[in-house]
Short mmCIF file of all heavy atoms in Angstrom, two decimals:
data_model
loop_
_atom_site.label_atom_id
_atom_site.label_comp_id
_atom_site.label_asym_id
_atom_site.label_seq_id
_atom_site.Cartn_x
_atom_site.Cartn_y
_atom_site.Cartn_z
N MET A 154 181.06 -35.41 -72.78
CA MET A 154 180.94 -34.29 -71.87
C MET A 154 180.82 -32.97 -72.61
O MET A 154 180.20 -32.05 -72.11
CB MET A 154 182.16 -34.25 -70.94
CG MET A 154 182.16 -35.33 -69.88
SD MET A 154 183.63 -35.45 -68.85
CE MET A 154 183.97 -33.81 -68.35
N SER A 155 181.41 -32.88 -73.78
CA SER A 155 181.39 -31.61 -74.50
C SER A 155 179.98 -31.21 -74.93
O SER A 155 179.69 -30.03 -75.06
CB SER A 155 182.30 -31.67 -75.73
OG SER A 155 181.82 -32.63 -76.65
N GLY A 156 179.11 -32.19 -75.15
CA GLY A 156 177.75 -31.89 -75.59
C GLY A 156 176.74 -31.84 -74.46
O GLY A 156 175.55 -31.69 -74.71
N ASP A 157 177.19 -31.99 -73.22
CA ASP A 157 176.28 -31.99 -72.08
C ASP A 157 175.69 -30.60 -71.87
O ASP A 157 176.35 -29.60 -72.11
CB ASP A 157 177.02 -32.45 -70.82
CG ASP A 157 176.08 -32.88 -69.74
OD1 ASP A 157 175.41 -32.01 -69.14
OD2 ASP A 157 175.99 -34.10 -69.48
N SER A 158 174.45 -30.53 -71.42
CA SER A 158 173.78 -29.25 -71.23
C SER A 158 174.18 -28.57 -69.93
O SER A 158 173.90 -27.38 -69.74
CB SER A 158 172.26 -29.45 -71.26
OG SER A 158 171.86 -30.28 -70.18
N ARG A 159 174.84 -29.30 -69.03
CA ARG A 159 175.23 -28.72 -67.74
C ARG A 159 176.55 -27.94 -67.88
O ARG A 159 177.54 -28.48 -68.35
CB ARG A 159 175.35 -29.81 -66.68
CG ARG A 159 174.00 -30.47 -66.39
CD ARG A 159 174.15 -31.69 -65.57
NE ARG A 159 174.71 -32.75 -66.40
CZ ARG A 159 174.81 -34.02 -66.01
NH1 ARG A 159 174.41 -34.38 -64.82
NH2 ARG A 159 175.32 -34.92 -66.82
N ASP A 160 176.52 -26.69 -67.44
CA ASP A 160 177.69 -25.81 -67.55
C ASP A 160 178.91 -26.40 -66.85
O ASP A 160 180.02 -26.32 -67.37
CB ASP A 160 177.39 -24.43 -66.97
CG ASP A 160 176.40 -23.64 -67.82
OD1 ASP A 160 176.27 -23.95 -69.02
OD2 ASP A 160 175.76 -22.73 -67.28
N LEU A 161 178.72 -26.96 -65.68
CA LEU A 161 179.84 -27.49 -64.91
C LEU A 161 180.58 -28.59 -65.67
O LEU A 161 181.81 -28.59 -65.74
CB LEU A 161 179.36 -28.02 -63.56
CG LEU A 161 180.45 -28.60 -62.66
CD1 LEU A 161 181.46 -27.53 -62.27
CD2 LEU A 161 179.83 -29.22 -61.42
N LEU A 162 179.83 -29.50 -66.29
CA LEU A 162 180.48 -30.58 -67.04
C LEU A 162 181.17 -30.07 -68.29
O LEU A 162 182.25 -30.55 -68.64
CB LEU A 162 179.46 -31.66 -67.40
CG LEU A 162 179.04 -32.57 -66.25
CD1 LEU A 162 178.09 -33.64 -66.73
CD2 LEU A 162 180.23 -33.18 -65.57
N ARG A 163 180.57 -29.10 -68.94
CA ARG A 163 181.23 -28.52 -70.12
C ARG A 163 182.52 -27.81 -69.73
O ARG A 163 183.55 -27.95 -70.40
CB ARG A 163 180.29 -27.55 -70.84
CG ARG A 163 179.28 -28.26 -71.73
CD ARG A 163 178.64 -27.29 -72.71
NE ARG A 163 178.28 -26.02 -72.11
CZ ARG A 163 177.06 -25.67 -71.77
NH1 ARG A 163 176.05 -26.47 -72.00
NH2 ARG A 163 176.82 -24.49 -71.23
N ASP A 164 182.49 -27.06 -68.62
CA ASP A 164 183.70 -26.38 -68.14
C ASP A 164 184.77 -27.40 -67.75
O ASP A 164 185.96 -27.20 -68.05
CB ASP A 164 183.38 -25.48 -66.95
CG ASP A 164 182.56 -24.27 -67.33
OD1 ASP A 164 182.49 -23.95 -68.55
OD2 ASP A 164 182.00 -23.62 -66.42
N LEU A 165 184.37 -28.46 -67.10
CA LEU A 165 185.33 -29.51 -66.75
C LEU A 165 185.94 -30.12 -68.00
O LEU A 165 187.16 -30.33 -68.07
CB LEU A 165 184.64 -30.60 -65.91
CG LEU A 165 185.51 -31.79 -65.53
CD1 LEU A 165 186.71 -31.37 -64.71
CD2 LEU A 165 184.68 -32.83 -64.80
N TYR A 166 185.14 -30.39 -68.99
CA TYR A 166 185.65 -30.94 -70.25
C TYR A 166 186.67 -30.00 -70.90
O TYR A 166 187.73 -30.43 -71.35
CB TYR A 166 184.48 -31.19 -71.21
CG TYR A 166 184.94 -31.64 -72.57
CD1 TYR A 166 185.33 -32.95 -72.78
CD2 TYR A 166 184.98 -30.75 -73.64
CE1 TYR A 166 185.78 -33.38 -74.03
CE2 TYR A 166 185.42 -31.16 -74.89
CZ TYR A 166 185.81 -32.47 -75.07
OH TYR A 166 186.25 -32.88 -76.31
N ILE A 167 186.38 -28.71 -70.90
CA ILE A 167 187.31 -27.73 -71.48
C ILE A 167 188.63 -27.72 -70.72
O ILE A 167 189.70 -27.77 -71.31
CB ILE A 167 186.67 -26.32 -71.50
CG1 ILE A 167 185.52 -26.30 -72.50
CG2 ILE A 167 187.70 -25.25 -71.81
CD1 ILE A 167 184.65 -25.06 -72.42
N GLN A 168 188.55 -27.71 -69.39
CA GLN A 168 189.77 -27.72 -68.58
C GLN A 168 190.58 -29.00 -68.81
O GLN A 168 191.81 -28.96 -68.92
CB GLN A 168 189.43 -27.58 -67.09
CG GLN A 168 188.82 -26.26 -66.71
CD GLN A 168 189.80 -25.11 -66.87
OE1 GLN A 168 190.96 -25.23 -66.51
NE2 GLN A 168 189.33 -24.00 -67.42
N MET A 169 189.89 -30.14 -68.87
CA MET A 169 190.58 -31.41 -69.09
C MET A 169 191.24 -31.44 -70.47
O MET A 169 192.34 -31.98 -70.62
CB MET A 169 189.59 -32.58 -68.93
CG MET A 169 189.15 -32.80 -67.51
SD MET A 169 187.87 -34.06 -67.35
CE MET A 169 188.81 -35.54 -67.72
N THR A 170 190.59 -30.86 -71.46
CA THR A 170 191.12 -30.86 -72.82
C THR A 170 192.29 -29.88 -72.96
O THR A 170 193.34 -30.23 -73.49
CB THR A 170 190.01 -30.49 -73.82
OG1 THR A 170 188.93 -31.41 -73.65
CG2 THR A 170 190.51 -30.57 -75.24
N LEU A 171 192.12 -28.66 -72.47
CA LEU A 171 193.15 -27.64 -72.61
C LEU A 171 194.42 -27.98 -71.83
O LEU A 171 195.53 -27.78 -72.32
CB LEU A 171 192.63 -26.28 -72.15
CG LEU A 171 191.63 -25.58 -73.06
CD1 LEU A 171 191.15 -24.29 -72.42
CD2 LEU A 171 192.24 -25.30 -74.42
N PHE A 172 194.26 -28.46 -70.60
CA PHE A 172 195.40 -28.68 -69.73
C PHE A 172 195.77 -30.15 -69.55
O PHE A 172 196.60 -30.48 -68.71
CB PHE A 172 195.14 -28.03 -68.37
CG PHE A 172 194.90 -26.55 -68.47
CD1 PHE A 172 193.64 -26.03 -68.28
CD2 PHE A 172 195.93 -25.68 -68.79
CE1 PHE A 172 193.39 -24.67 -68.38
CE2 PHE A 172 195.71 -24.32 -68.90
CZ PHE A 172 194.45 -23.80 -68.70
N GLN A 173 195.12 -31.03 -70.33
CA GLN A 173 195.39 -32.47 -70.27
C GLN A 173 195.27 -33.01 -68.84
O GLN A 173 196.07 -33.81 -68.38
CB GLN A 173 196.78 -32.78 -70.83
CG GLN A 173 196.94 -32.43 -72.30
CD GLN A 173 195.97 -33.21 -73.18
OE1 GLN A 173 195.98 -34.44 -73.15
NE2 GLN A 173 195.14 -32.52 -73.93
N ILE A 174 194.23 -32.54 -68.14
CA ILE A 174 193.97 -32.98 -66.77
C ILE A 174 193.23 -34.31 -66.82
O ILE A 174 192.25 -34.46 -67.55
CB ILE A 174 193.13 -31.93 -66.01
CG1 ILE A 174 193.90 -30.61 -65.95
CG2 ILE A 174 192.75 -32.42 -64.62
CD1 ILE A 174 193.07 -29.46 -65.41
N LYS A 175 193.70 -35.26 -66.03
CA LYS A 175 193.07 -36.59 -65.98
C LYS A 175 192.95 -37.03 -64.52
O LYS A 175 193.82 -36.71 -63.72
CB LYS A 175 193.90 -37.59 -66.75
CG LYS A 175 193.99 -37.26 -68.21
CD LYS A 175 194.82 -38.27 -68.93
CE LYS A 175 194.79 -37.89 -70.41
NZ LYS A 175 196.04 -37.86 -71.05
N PRO A 176 191.91 -37.76 -64.19
CA PRO A 176 191.80 -38.27 -62.81
C PRO A 176 192.92 -39.26 -62.53
O PRO A 176 193.30 -40.04 -63.40
CB PRO A 176 190.43 -38.95 -62.76
CG PRO A 176 189.97 -39.07 -64.16
CD PRO A 176 190.79 -38.16 -65.01
N THR A 177 193.47 -39.21 -61.32
CA THR A 177 194.52 -40.16 -60.96
C THR A 177 194.09 -41.11 -59.87
O THR A 177 194.71 -42.14 -59.68
CB THR A 177 195.79 -39.41 -60.49
OG1 THR A 177 195.46 -38.59 -59.38
CG2 THR A 177 196.36 -38.58 -61.61
N THR A 178 193.06 -40.76 -59.13
CA THR A 178 192.58 -41.63 -58.07
C THR A 178 191.08 -41.82 -58.23
O THR A 178 190.33 -40.86 -58.41
CB THR A 178 192.87 -41.03 -56.69
OG1 THR A 178 194.27 -40.81 -56.57
CG2 THR A 178 192.41 -41.96 -55.58
N VAL A 179 190.65 -43.05 -58.16
CA VAL A 179 189.23 -43.37 -58.22
C VAL A 179 188.82 -43.84 -56.83
O VAL A 179 189.53 -44.63 -56.20
CB VAL A 179 188.94 -44.47 -59.26
CG1 VAL A 179 187.47 -44.84 -59.25
CG2 VAL A 179 189.39 -44.03 -60.63
N VAL A 180 187.69 -43.34 -56.33
CA VAL A 180 187.20 -43.71 -55.01
C VAL A 180 185.84 -44.36 -55.16
O VAL A 180 184.97 -43.86 -55.87
CB VAL A 180 187.10 -42.47 -54.09
CG1 VAL A 180 186.57 -42.86 -52.72
CG2 VAL A 180 188.44 -41.77 -53.98
N ASP A 181 185.67 -45.48 -54.50
CA ASP A 181 184.38 -46.19 -54.50
C ASP A 181 183.95 -46.34 -53.05
O ASP A 181 184.78 -46.59 -52.17
CB ASP A 181 184.56 -47.56 -55.16
CG ASP A 181 183.25 -48.29 -55.30
OD1 ASP A 181 182.22 -47.66 -55.59
OD2 ASP A 181 183.25 -49.53 -55.13
N TYR A 182 182.68 -46.17 -52.79
CA TYR A 182 182.19 -46.28 -51.42
C TYR A 182 180.70 -46.54 -51.43
O TYR A 182 180.02 -46.35 -52.43
CB TYR A 182 182.50 -45.01 -50.62
CG TYR A 182 181.96 -43.75 -51.25
CD1 TYR A 182 180.68 -43.29 -50.95
CD2 TYR A 182 182.73 -43.02 -52.14
CE1 TYR A 182 180.19 -42.14 -51.54
CE2 TYR A 182 182.25 -41.87 -52.72
CZ TYR A 182 180.98 -41.43 -52.42
OH TYR A 182 180.49 -40.30 -53.00
N GLU A 183 180.21 -46.98 -50.28
CA GLU A 183 178.77 -47.13 -50.07
C GLU A 183 178.35 -46.00 -49.14
O GLU A 183 179.02 -45.71 -48.15
CB GLU A 183 178.46 -48.48 -49.44
CG GLU A 183 178.78 -49.64 -50.35
CD GLU A 183 178.55 -50.98 -49.69
OE1 GLU A 183 177.87 -51.04 -48.65
OE2 GLU A 183 179.07 -51.97 -50.22
N ARG A 184 177.25 -45.34 -49.46
CA ARG A 184 176.79 -44.20 -48.66
C ARG A 184 175.40 -44.47 -48.12
O ARG A 184 174.50 -44.90 -48.82
CB ARG A 184 176.78 -42.94 -49.52
CG ARG A 184 176.19 -41.74 -48.78
CD ARG A 184 176.47 -40.46 -49.49
NE ARG A 184 177.86 -40.10 -49.20
CZ ARG A 184 178.51 -39.12 -49.78
NH1 ARG A 184 177.91 -38.39 -50.68
NH2 ARG A 184 179.74 -38.85 -49.44
N GLU A 185 175.26 -44.19 -46.82
CA GLU A 185 173.96 -44.30 -46.16
C GLU A 185 173.54 -42.89 -45.75
O GLU A 185 174.31 -42.17 -45.13
CB GLU A 185 174.08 -45.20 -44.92
CG GLU A 185 172.78 -45.60 -44.33
CD GLU A 185 172.94 -46.66 -43.25
OE1 GLU A 185 174.07 -47.02 -42.91
OE2 GLU A 185 171.90 -47.11 -42.75
N VAL A 186 172.34 -42.51 -46.14
CA VAL A 186 171.86 -41.15 -45.93
C VAL A 186 170.70 -41.15 -44.94
O VAL A 186 169.80 -41.98 -45.02
CB VAL A 186 171.38 -40.53 -47.27
CG1 VAL A 186 170.86 -39.13 -47.05
CG2 VAL A 186 172.49 -40.55 -48.30
N PHE A 187 170.77 -40.20 -44.02
CA PHE A 187 169.68 -40.00 -43.07
C PHE A 187 169.24 -38.55 -43.19
O PHE A 187 170.06 -37.64 -43.13
CB PHE A 187 170.14 -40.28 -41.64
CG PHE A 187 170.55 -41.70 -41.42
CD1 PHE A 187 171.88 -42.07 -41.57
CD2 PHE A 187 169.63 -42.67 -41.08
CE1 PHE A 187 172.28 -43.37 -41.39
CE2 PHE A 187 170.01 -43.99 -40.89
CZ PHE A 187 171.34 -44.34 -41.05
N ILE A 188 167.93 -38.34 -43.36
CA ILE A 188 167.41 -36.98 -43.51
C ILE A 188 166.35 -36.75 -42.44
O ILE A 188 165.43 -37.53 -42.28
CB ILE A 188 166.79 -36.78 -44.91
CG1 ILE A 188 167.85 -36.98 -45.98
CG2 ILE A 188 166.15 -35.40 -45.02
CD1 ILE A 188 167.32 -36.95 -47.40
N TYR A 189 166.56 -35.67 -41.72
CA TYR A 189 165.59 -35.21 -40.73
C TYR A 189 164.94 -33.97 -41.32
O TYR A 189 165.55 -32.92 -41.40
CB TYR A 189 166.28 -34.91 -39.40
CG TYR A 189 165.35 -34.48 -38.30
CD1 TYR A 189 164.46 -35.40 -37.73
CD2 TYR A 189 165.34 -33.18 -37.82
CE1 TYR A 189 163.60 -35.02 -36.71
CE2 TYR A 189 164.49 -32.79 -36.80
CZ TYR A 189 163.62 -33.72 -36.26
OH TYR A 189 162.76 -33.34 -35.25
N GLU A 190 163.72 -34.14 -41.80
CA GLU A 190 163.09 -33.08 -42.58
C GLU A 190 162.81 -31.81 -41.78
O GLU A 190 162.76 -30.72 -42.34
CB GLU A 190 161.82 -33.57 -43.24
CG GLU A 190 160.78 -34.11 -42.27
CD GLU A 190 159.63 -34.78 -42.99
OE1 GLU A 190 159.77 -35.96 -43.32
OE2 GLU A 190 158.61 -34.09 -43.22
N TYR A 191 162.66 -31.93 -40.47
CA TYR A 191 162.41 -30.74 -39.65
C TYR A 191 163.76 -30.12 -39.32
O TYR A 191 164.56 -30.70 -38.61
CB TYR A 191 161.64 -31.11 -38.38
CG TYR A 191 160.37 -31.88 -38.68
CD1 TYR A 191 160.29 -33.24 -38.46
CD2 TYR A 191 159.27 -31.23 -39.21
CE1 TYR A 191 159.13 -33.95 -38.76
CE2 TYR A 191 158.11 -31.92 -39.52
CZ TYR A 191 158.05 -33.27 -39.29
OH TYR A 191 156.90 -33.96 -39.59
N GLY A 192 164.00 -28.98 -39.84
CA GLY A 192 165.28 -28.31 -39.61
C GLY A 192 166.25 -28.51 -40.77
O GLY A 192 167.36 -28.03 -40.73
N ASN A 193 165.83 -29.24 -41.80
CA ASN A 193 166.63 -29.41 -43.01
C ASN A 193 168.01 -30.01 -42.69
O ASN A 193 169.04 -29.44 -43.02
CB ASN A 193 166.76 -28.08 -43.74
CG ASN A 193 167.30 -28.27 -45.15
OD1 ASN A 193 167.14 -29.33 -45.73
ND2 ASN A 193 167.93 -27.26 -45.68
N VAL A 194 168.03 -31.17 -42.01
CA VAL A 194 169.28 -31.81 -41.60
C VAL A 194 169.50 -33.06 -42.42
O VAL A 194 168.59 -33.88 -42.59
CB VAL A 194 169.25 -32.16 -40.09
CG1 VAL A 194 170.50 -32.91 -39.68
CG2 VAL A 194 169.05 -30.92 -39.25
N ARG A 195 170.72 -33.21 -42.93
CA ARG A 195 171.10 -34.41 -43.70
C ARG A 195 172.45 -34.89 -43.17
O ARG A 195 173.40 -34.14 -43.08
CB ARG A 195 171.20 -34.08 -45.18
CG ARG A 195 171.71 -35.22 -46.03
CD ARG A 195 171.93 -34.75 -47.46
NE ARG A 195 172.71 -35.71 -48.19
CZ ARG A 195 172.28 -36.38 -49.24
NH1 ARG A 195 171.07 -36.19 -49.69
NH2 ARG A 195 173.06 -37.22 -49.86
N VAL A 196 172.51 -36.19 -42.84
CA VAL A 196 173.74 -36.80 -42.36
C VAL A 196 174.04 -37.99 -43.25
O VAL A 196 173.14 -38.78 -43.58
CB VAL A 196 173.60 -37.27 -40.89
CG1 VAL A 196 174.85 -37.98 -40.42
CG2 VAL A 196 173.28 -36.10 -39.98
N THR A 197 175.32 -38.11 -43.67
CA THR A 197 175.71 -39.26 -44.49
C THR A 197 176.83 -40.02 -43.82
O THR A 197 177.71 -39.42 -43.19
CB THR A 197 176.16 -38.82 -45.90
OG1 THR A 197 177.28 -37.96 -45.79
CG2 THR A 197 175.05 -38.12 -46.65
N PHE A 198 176.80 -41.34 -43.95
CA PHE A 198 177.87 -42.21 -43.46
C PHE A 198 178.39 -43.00 -44.64
O PHE A 198 177.63 -43.66 -45.35
CB PHE A 198 177.34 -43.18 -42.39
CG PHE A 198 176.95 -42.49 -41.12
CD1 PHE A 198 175.62 -42.22 -40.84
CD2 PHE A 198 177.91 -42.11 -40.20
CE1 PHE A 198 175.25 -41.58 -39.67
CE2 PHE A 198 177.56 -41.47 -39.02
CZ PHE A 198 176.23 -41.21 -38.76
N ASP A 199 179.70 -42.91 -44.87
CA ASP A 199 180.34 -43.67 -45.95
C ASP A 199 181.04 -44.88 -45.35
O ASP A 199 181.70 -44.79 -44.32
CB ASP A 199 181.36 -42.80 -46.68
CG ASP A 199 180.73 -41.60 -47.36
OD1 ASP A 199 179.50 -41.66 -47.63
OD2 ASP A 199 181.43 -40.62 -47.63
N SER A 200 180.89 -46.02 -46.02
CA SER A 200 181.56 -47.24 -45.57
C SER A 200 182.11 -47.99 -46.78
O SER A 200 181.81 -47.64 -47.92
CB SER A 200 180.57 -48.12 -44.80
OG SER A 200 179.50 -48.49 -45.62
N ASN A 201 182.89 -49.00 -46.52
CA ASN A 201 183.54 -49.79 -47.58
C ASN A 201 184.26 -48.88 -48.57
O ASN A 201 184.14 -49.03 -49.78
CB ASN A 201 182.54 -50.67 -48.31
CG ASN A 201 182.00 -51.77 -47.42
OD1 ASN A 201 182.72 -52.28 -46.58
ND2 ASN A 201 180.75 -52.13 -47.60
N VAL A 202 185.00 -47.92 -48.03
CA VAL A 202 185.72 -46.97 -48.87
C VAL A 202 186.93 -47.66 -49.49
O VAL A 202 187.73 -48.29 -48.79
CB VAL A 202 186.17 -45.73 -48.06
CG1 VAL A 202 186.94 -44.76 -48.92
CG2 VAL A 202 184.96 -45.05 -47.43
N LYS A 203 187.04 -47.57 -50.81
CA LYS A 203 188.15 -48.18 -51.55
C LYS A 203 188.72 -47.15 -52.50
O LYS A 203 187.98 -46.37 -53.09
CB LYS A 203 187.67 -49.38 -52.37
CG LYS A 203 186.99 -50.45 -51.56
CD LYS A 203 186.40 -51.48 -52.48
CE LYS A 203 185.34 -52.26 -51.73
NZ LYS A 203 184.40 -52.89 -52.60
N THR A 204 190.03 -47.15 -52.64
CA THR A 204 190.66 -46.26 -53.60
C THR A 204 191.54 -47.08 -54.55
O THR A 204 192.00 -48.17 -54.21
CB THR A 204 191.55 -45.20 -52.92
OG1 THR A 204 192.61 -45.84 -52.24
CG2 THR A 204 190.74 -44.35 -51.98
N SER A 205 191.73 -46.53 -55.71
CA SER A 205 192.57 -47.19 -56.69
C SER A 205 193.33 -46.10 -57.44
O SER A 205 192.73 -45.19 -58.01
CB SER A 205 191.71 -47.99 -57.67
OG SER A 205 192.52 -48.59 -58.64
N TYR A 206 194.66 -46.18 -57.42
CA TYR A 206 195.50 -45.19 -58.06
C TYR A 206 195.70 -45.55 -59.52
O TYR A 206 196.21 -46.63 -59.82
CB TYR A 206 196.83 -45.10 -57.34
CG TYR A 206 197.77 -44.07 -57.89
CD1 TYR A 206 197.50 -42.71 -57.71
CD2 TYR A 206 198.91 -44.42 -58.57
CE1 TYR A 206 198.34 -41.74 -58.20
CE2 TYR A 206 199.76 -43.45 -59.07
CZ TYR A 206 199.48 -42.13 -58.89
OH TYR A 206 200.32 -41.17 -59.39
N ARG A 207 195.23 -44.67 -60.43
CA ARG A 207 195.38 -44.85 -61.87
C ARG A 207 194.76 -46.16 -62.39
O ARG A 207 195.29 -46.80 -63.28
CB ARG A 207 196.84 -44.77 -62.29
CG ARG A 207 197.46 -43.43 -62.03
CD ARG A 207 198.82 -43.37 -62.68
NE ARG A 207 199.44 -42.11 -62.40
CZ ARG A 207 199.30 -41.00 -63.13
NH1 ARG A 207 198.54 -41.00 -64.18
NH2 ARG A 207 199.91 -39.89 -62.81
N SER A 208 193.65 -46.54 -61.81
CA SER A 208 192.98 -47.75 -62.26
C SER A 208 191.50 -47.62 -61.94
O SER A 208 191.12 -46.97 -60.98
CB SER A 208 193.54 -49.00 -61.55
OG SER A 208 192.78 -50.12 -61.91
N ILE A 209 190.67 -48.25 -62.75
CA ILE A 209 189.23 -48.23 -62.46
C ILE A 209 188.76 -49.60 -61.98
O ILE A 209 187.60 -49.85 -61.82
CB ILE A 209 188.41 -47.80 -63.70
CG1 ILE A 209 188.64 -48.76 -64.86
CG2 ILE A 209 188.73 -46.38 -64.08
CD1 ILE A 209 187.72 -48.55 -66.03
N TYR A 210 189.72 -50.52 -61.74
CA TYR A 210 189.38 -51.86 -61.32
C TYR A 210 189.26 -51.93 -59.81
O TYR A 210 190.17 -51.56 -59.09
CB TYR A 210 190.43 -52.87 -61.79
CG TYR A 210 190.24 -54.24 -61.20
CD1 TYR A 210 189.21 -55.07 -61.64
CD2 TYR A 210 191.04 -54.69 -60.18
CE1 TYR A 210 189.02 -56.32 -61.10
CE2 TYR A 210 190.88 -55.94 -59.63
CZ TYR A 210 189.85 -56.75 -60.08
OH TYR A 210 189.64 -57.98 -59.54
N PHE A 211 188.12 -52.40 -59.33
CA PHE A 211 187.93 -52.66 -57.91
C PHE A 211 187.55 -54.12 -57.75
O PHE A 211 186.61 -54.59 -58.40
CB PHE A 211 186.80 -51.80 -57.35
CG PHE A 211 187.15 -50.35 -57.21
CD1 PHE A 211 186.76 -49.44 -58.16
CD2 PHE A 211 187.91 -49.92 -56.15
CE1 PHE A 211 187.08 -48.11 -58.04
CE2 PHE A 211 188.25 -48.58 -56.02
CZ PHE A 211 187.83 -47.69 -56.97
N PRO A 212 188.25 -54.84 -56.92
CA PRO A 212 187.88 -56.25 -56.70
C PRO A 212 186.46 -56.36 -56.15
O PRO A 212 186.04 -55.54 -55.34
CB PRO A 212 188.89 -56.75 -55.68
CG PRO A 212 189.94 -55.70 -55.57
CD PRO A 212 189.37 -54.43 -56.12
N THR A 213 185.74 -57.34 -56.60
CA THR A 213 184.38 -57.56 -56.09
C THR A 213 184.46 -58.33 -54.78
O THR A 213 185.46 -58.95 -54.48
CB THR A 213 183.53 -58.33 -57.12
OG1 THR A 213 184.18 -59.56 -57.41
CG2 THR A 213 183.37 -57.51 -58.39
N LYS A 214 183.37 -58.30 -54.06
CA LYS A 214 183.31 -58.98 -52.76
C LYS A 214 183.32 -60.46 -52.93
O LYS A 214 182.91 -61.04 -53.84
CB LYS A 214 182.07 -58.54 -51.99
CG LYS A 214 182.08 -57.09 -51.68
CD LYS A 214 180.79 -56.69 -51.00
CE LYS A 214 180.75 -55.20 -50.81
NZ LYS A 214 179.52 -54.74 -50.27
#
């Protein structure tokens, strides 16, 4: 992250390094997107939402 060209990721890396900030919850989900181009409307529906506290393991289906 420190070498990434995106300012946001570099700033996040600095904050995580300076203040020892670490993610504690991981969220996994499936997202369905619908876009109505007239009027610039976007609607998203999330399903199969799963969370895991201090772990990156999600059971498979």
